[in-house]
Amino acid sequence: MAEMRTALGMPITHQTKTSKNPIIQWILDVWEGFYTVLVGMGVTWRHFFRKPFTVQYPHEKLNIPKQARQRVHVDIDLCGGCLQCDKICPAGIIKIVTAKPVAGEDLGVRPNGKRRALHIAEFTIDHSKCLYCGLCETVCNDDAIYMIPDFQYTTRSLEQLVVNYSRYSPEERDRVVAAAAAEKAAKQASKPAVPQTKVSDPQPNIPSPSVDSDVFNEKCPGPDGEFK
Amino acid sequence: MSQFNPLEAFNLPIVYWQIIWAGIIVAFVTVFALFAVYLERKISAYAQDRMGPMETGGWQGWAQTIADALKLLLKEDIIPELADRRLFKLAPYIVFAGSLGVMAVIPFGVNLIGTDLNIGLYFILALSSTVVIGILMAGWASNNKWALYGAMRSAAQMVSYEIPIGLSLMLPVLLTGSLSMIDITNAQKSGILADGYFWNWYIFRVPPFTLIAFILYFWASLAETNRTPFDIPEAESELVSGYHTEYTGIRFAMFFLAEYANMFIVAAIASVVFLGGPLAPAPWLNWIPGPIWMLLKSLVLVFIQMWLRWTLPRVRVDQLMHICWKIFLPLALVNFIVIATLVVLWQK
Ligand code: SF4
Ligand code: SF4
């Protein structure tokens, strides 16, 4: 470290002189008080000529580390619709609606070579509630959901932060969902006609908890923290 | 140029001249306050490795304080419900008038002065004491404990520090034999060494006593203007903002203006009394007019005030009183006695 000097270039002495005579002690004290003020002024003077640490933010930006978690983004072409991200998200802000393709319909392959097994009819993320925990990124097998370096995504209203990444318009979503449901219903309807050949595989008719039951809806606070 | 006499040049009756000069002074103080606030922001920024205002007005944010002043004037004027309305309204004007009145006797050139009172320096000390009344009024009328505390501290501090200030300013008076600011200025033109040089200024006249007096005056004036390290009347961290906590809009602007005007005034007094005021430091620099030297010297002192402000922490109330009564006062007294003795011996 460079030797510290006062504003007038005098070196800083660290030992305080003392005297038995109170008057001389008083003079020494006054001198030291004055001297240390000059020391302080010297420090301030050097700071006047330092390069500022701050940057003029909208005009210049600091380099943000690559691994910084700034904004969740979905590459919808890669997504297989496995719902892993939806299940892990602690904020519960990912809403995915998938639909099976109807018989004979082929959705082709994804850019990573895997077969596209499902319509991703809707993939909505409410960015206003994201915790930037990065869990969704971690669990995704297809690297379809990840963080992008964009932290300036302020909008005029909260609604604008709810982004749908799916390629399907609401009408298309309703169409594919309805088609899948119709096919499923048709299959179910045709099932009893098929005779049960496997007697060794009895299916006990356990009533599964219905998602629509009033009990479930009233007790569970939703992602908003309110009872729905 | 330094001999320019506006009274003779325009052949005006003295009353007209004084009214014009008052207008010039008010305009000057306003512009100076805007400039000083900007300077203070920049200095504080650079002392802390920041940049300060950079956006408003383009280059280096030069229009920031103008924008702030406009905003301040457009603000709602609030008077607290339980305030003493008449005192509350009156206080800022007393503070402002007390500060500005001092400008009447400060010479900007050898002849450029509002009025050359033969008791100039005494007038300055007397008038700046009225500021205390205004501050106490503001603190009391606000009906707010922080404002009252700030006002009490301010009064205690200003009354105490007036003594070392008065004793330090007496040295040049002793050496000149006059209280008139013009006489004090002119007396710094010649001395023992060659005439017209800076070593005839009172700060260098009787080393080291006048130098000590100058330093004492400068430090005590920081307390007088409520600036760091003696800014305990407005200690933001303890008292919100002291005696003007409750003030808004134009009335707050008055206090603010008075505060920055005060900074300039104490610097101007120091430059007239100790640094030769409008005199050039050497005869071959006489072509630069006196007002420019005066402004230059004052601005350098204002800069040092700000430099100190961003260097030193605030002292405690007891430390403040300790510095005044146990350090400044003995030093000022010894100074005074030595110079008085010297002057008497000299004249014998
Ligand atoms: S980062 Fe965390 S909170 Fe945000 S969407 Fe992913 S899992 Fe949810
Ligand atoms: S985890 Fe990845 S593949 Fe699965 S639904 Fe989420 S984004 Fe799509």
Side-chain angles (χ1 to χ4, degrees), chain A residues 32-228:
Chain A
E32 193 179 322
F34 182 70
Y35 193 78
T36 44
V37 169
L38 292 183
V39 173
M41 288 174 82
V43 172
T44 315
W45 184 257
R46 276 196 301 280
H47 276 270
F48 283 146
F49 300 104
R50 283 224 186 131
K51 198 177 158 291
F53 276 114
T54 48
V55 294
Q56 290 305 100
Y57 160 61
H59 311 302
E60 352 165 5
K61 285 176 194 148
L62 292 172
N63 286 328
I64 295 171
K66 248 172 98 182
Q67 67 272 35
R69 303 196 291 257
Q70 299 177 37
R71 180 190 175 146
V72 178
H73 181 77
V74 181
D75 187 343
I76 199 69
D77 289 337
L78 285 173
C79 175
C82 65
L83 305 189
Q84 287 303 319
C85 53
D86 186 1
K87 286 175 187 152
I88 198 97
C89 178
I93 58 174
I94 302 178
K95 181 187 175 197
I96 305 174
V97 176
T98 55
K100 275 191 180 160
V102 291
E105 192 180 14
D106 186 18
L107 296 176
V109 287
R110 290 179 266 156
N112 56 6
K114 296 188 190 170
R115 201 172 64 82
R116 195 190 302 280
L118 292 166
H119 294 285
I120 315 295
E122 185 182 339
F123 198 124
T124 311
I125 297 181
D126 184 354
H127 287 286
S128 63
K129 293 177 190 153
C130 180
L131 308 170
Y132 308 102
C133 61
L135 288 176
C136 50
E137 186 180 20
T138 311
V139 295
C140 183
N141 269 327
D142 298 318
D143 288 340
I145 188 163
Y146 48 86
M147 295 286 179
I148 52 168
D150 168 28
F151 60 92
Q152 315 174 102
Y153 54 103
T154 318
T155 55
R156 295 259 166 205
S157 69
L158 281 178
E159 286 79 51
Q160 279 168 276
L161 285 173
V162 182
V163 181
N164 187 358
Y165 289 91
S166 168
R167 295 201 186 284
Y168 292 65
S169 67
E171 296 80 40
E172 284 173 320
R173 176 195 66 192
D174 293 345
R175 187 176 55 73
V176 293
V177 170
E183 199 178 72
K184 193 175 177 189
K187 263 189 193 156
Q188 295 257 307
S190 61
K191 253 185 190 164
V194 180
Q196 286 280 332
T197 47
K198 281 188 193 163
V199 191
S200 59
D201 189 14
Q203 292 281 331
N205 201 3
I206 303 164
S208 58
S210 164
V211 181
D212 294 328
S213 87
D214 287 351
V215 182
F216 180 79
N217 281 341
E218 275 172 22
K219 285 274 167 67
C220 177
D224 293 325
E226 304 155 349
F227 288 104
K228 282 209 169 158

Side-chain angles (χ1 to χ4, degrees), chain B residues 52-299:
Chain B
M54 290 294 282
E55 292 295 317
T56 320
W59 181 79
Q60 292 282 319
W62 63 272
Q64 185 63 52
T65 48
I66 300 172
D68 286 347
L70 285 178
K71 186 202 75 175
L72 204 58
L73 295 184
L74 294 175
K75 287 244 167 173
E76 190 186 358
D77 183 15
I78 300 169
I79 298 181
E81 204 173 278
L82 292 177
D84 188 330
R85 294 181 72 90
R86 219 176 304 158
L87 288 187
F88 189 85
K89 283 185 184 164
L90 195 57
Y93 301 105
I94 291 186
V95 172
F96 189 62
S99 304
L100 217 60
V102 173
M103 293 291 267
V105 295
I106 290 178
F108 278 80
V110 175
N111 288 310
L112 205 59
I113 184 168
T115 172
D116 180 19
L117 291 180
N118 57 358
I119 51 158
L121 211 50
Y122 180 70
F123 174 79
I124 289 174
L125 291 177
L127 210 58
S128 52
S129 304
T130 59
V131 172
V132 182
I133 301 173
I135 288 179
L136 265 181
M137 257 163 98
W140 176 259
S142 299
N143 210 341
N144 171 326
K145 47 184 171 294
W146 289 303
L148 186 59
Y149 267 123
M152 300 291 277
R153 287 179 177 190
S154 192
Q157 161 175 339
M158 286 168 111
V159 169
S160 312
Y161 275 85
E162 239 149 51
I163 300 163
I165 284 183
L167 283 174
S168 313
L169 289 181
M170 276 310 116
L171 261 62
V173 174
L174 281 174
L175 291 167
T176 316
S178 164
L179 280 161
S180 152
M181 296 296 266
I182 292 285
D183 286 352
I184 291 174
T185 309
N186 285 332
Q188 297 179 61
K189 275 185 189 159
S190 52
I192 308 159
L193 295 163
D195 287 2
Y197 281 97
F198 62 88
W199 49 66
N200 288 321
W201 298 349
Y202 277 143
I203 182 172
F204 303 118
R205 190 63 82 77
V206 191
F209 299 103
T210 42
L211 179 64
I212 293 176
F214 170 72
I215 294 170
L216 280 182
Y217 171 74
F218 190 73
W219 274 83
S221 70
L222 293 180
E224 189 82 352
T225 50
N226 295 335
R227 286 187 66 81
T228 319
F230 307 120
D231 66 338
I232 52 171
E234 329 183 341
E236 292 94 343
S237 44
E238 315 157 23
L239 294 179
V240 190
S241 69
Y243 56 87
H244 54 54
T245 301
E246 295 289 354
Y247 281 87
T248 50
I250 180 94
R251 278 180 244 279
F252 175 74
M254 287 294 226
F255 277 121
F256 209 63
L257 215 59
E259 214 176 299
Y260 278 88
N262 257 331
M263 276 173 68
F264 180 80
I265 287 162
V266 295
I269 295 169
S271 31
V272 172
V273 172
F274 290 103
L275 298 174
L279 301 179
W284 41 269
L285 283 170
N286 272 342
W287 55 274
I288 300 176
I292 292 189
W293 285 117
M294 177 69 194
L295 278 180
L296 207 66
K297 289 169 187 174
S298 309
L299 285 181

